[in-house]
Amino acid sequence: MRKTGLFMNRDTQSLISQSAKILKEADALIITAGSGIGIDSGLPNYNDPNVFKKLFPKLGIENISFAQMANPSWFTKNPKRAWAFYASLKETYAQTEPHNGYEQLLELAKTKKEGYFIFTSNVDGHFQKAGFDPLRIEECHGSIHHLQCSFPCGDHTWQHGPNMPFNAENMELSVDPPTCPYCHSIARPNILLYSDWNWAESRTDEQGTRFSKWFQHVHKNKIPTAVIEVGAGTTIPTVRYQSERLASALKTPLIRINPNNFEVPKDSIGLPLGAKTGINSIFGKL
């Protein structure tokens, strides 16, 4: 029995073979992804309280969780702390290289004569970093590599420049926070945060319009399209709902890779594997 990070039973091996067949025969490809795909690259699971406290001892002492810190109110009450937190995240994303599963998915995507599209809740920019076409990616929760006004004075967004220095021990930015070029209020990452009523959606809406136009093309013309979901959990199930909706509309089995939440709708495929192991295993059958 082949070993790919763990020993798999025959049912799992059969599902891997079925997945490979679907992906190989499709003329178009949709990849949906949540934070689980990045964890296999070495990115921390910020939602894990123990991991979060270890990474941010100052916040741990104050009993501040990831969900509490990922709130837009910080840009008003303590912008230097808010920016130290997001500068830390941006630094981690920049220093982490996407695992080889991204490369394998890109290699597969490039073989599809009708193209591909990515739908992800990740804000790290790792699909772009791995070489995927930025015009074929929808980041439904925004991107840490783009900024917006925290006020906000409009729906505009702009490219984030070089990362800013910060004091990790005190969780404070070492320079003045960036400001909006239009009204000079404090700027913030263009990320959909918790309890966020001021997220500027223009950039993500543009991405969504491109995806919708491409999807309508493959759907209308009945182009065989595969849908593979990687590392999308149930805590915020945006990606899972989108995966199921797309697969249902296309009348194709959803291929879901998730070590814990691998349940799938009828006639779909759930692989109880981590992101990297799941992709590597399927790729080995192509």
Side-chain angles (χ1 to χ4, degrees):
M1 189 176 295
R2 185 178 177 219
K3 185 176 180 181
T4 53
L6 72 167
F7 287 105
M8 300 176 205
N9 60 38
R10 290 186 178 180
D11 288 342
T12 301
Q13 291 283 12
S14 175
L15 292 174
I16 289 170
S17 296
Q18 291 176 45
S19 300
K21 184 174 187 294
I22 292 168
L23 292 169
K24 185 175 183 178
E25 294 178 352
D27 292 329
L29 177 66
I30 297 173
I31 302 167
T32 65
S35 61
I37 192 172
I39 287 173
D40 276 4
S41 297
L43 290 177
N45 179 4
Y46 292 109
N47 279 305
D48 184 320
N50 294 322
V51 171
F52 190 76
K53 288 179 180 179
K54 184 177 180 180
L55 291 172
F56 303 102
K58 174 73 171 174
L59 301 180
I61 291 170
E62 298 177 27
N63 290 317
I64 297 174
S65 68
F66 173 74
Q68 290 170 321
M69 196 64 223
N71 187 296
S73 63
W74 283 100
F75 290 96
T76 300
K77 64 186 181 183
N78 194 338
K80 283 204 167 186
R81 167 168 286 189
W83 266 110
F85 178 67
Y86 282 99
S88 174
L89 266 60
K90 188 170 183 281
E91 180 177 83
T92 298
Y93 296 154
Q95 293 176 348
T96 305
E97 292 299 319
H99 59 75
N100 74 321
Y102 283 86
E103 181 182 350
Q104 291 172 330
L105 288 173
L106 178 59
E107 184 178 332
L108 174 65
K110 286 181 174 179
T111 68
K112 302 308 175 188
K113 61 183 181 182
E114 296 292 342
Y116 67 89
F117 227 99
I118 311 292
F119 181 89
T120 181
S121 59
N122 297 336
V123 302
D124 51 34
H126 274 200
F127 277 102
Q128 291 92 327
K129 192 173 185 178
F132 287 88
D133 184 350
L135 296 179
R136 290 185 173 273
I137 301 172
E138 179 178 351
E139 296 160 302
C140 65
H141 290 168
S143 168
I144 202 166
H145 301 290
H146 291 79
L147 303 183
Q148 67 166 85
C149 180
S150 63
F151 179 57
C153 64
D155 205 33
H156 32 254
T157 65
W158 61 95
Q159 192 88 21
H160 195 344
N163 206 21
M164 293 165 288
F166 62 95
N167 186 313
E169 184 177 346
N170 296 327
M171 281 306 295
E172 184 170 304
L173 198 67
S174 303
V175 295
D176 290 334
T179 56
C180 172
Y182 300 93
C183 74
H184 307 296
S185 297
I186 297 294
R188 51 163 275 196
N190 182 226
I191 297 172
L192 178 60
L193 305 176
Y194 290 88
S195 303
D196 194 352
W197 303 104
N198 293 324
W199 180 48
E201 301 179 49
S202 57
R203 180 175 174 273
T204 296
D205 284 346
E206 289 176 6
Q207 293 177 329
T209 298
R210 288 194 292 268
F211 186 11
S212 180
K213 184 178 180 180
W214 177 82
F215 180 80
Q216 289 171 15
H217 165 71
V218 298
H219 183 255
K220 180 181 178 181
N221 292 285
K222 296 181 169 44
I223 293 167
T225 305
V227 182
I228 181 169
E229 175 194 289
V230 187
T234 57
T235 304
I236 301 178
T238 308
V239 173
R240 292 173 73 92
Y241 289 160
Q242 176 76 322
S243 304
E244 292 173 11
R245 184 186 71 82
L246 295 170
S248 176
L250 293 166
K251 295 181 173 55
T252 188
L254 166 64
I255 300 168
R256 170 170 285 157
I257 300 174
N258 197 300
N260 301 310
N261 308 118
F262 53 87
E263 300 82 5
V264 288
K266 184 180 178 183
D267 298 325
S268 286
I269 297 172
L271 295 174
L273 303 171
K276 182 179 178 180
T277 298
I279 297 168
N280 290 175
S281 299
I282 292 172
F283 198 82
K285 300 286 186 178
L286 291 174

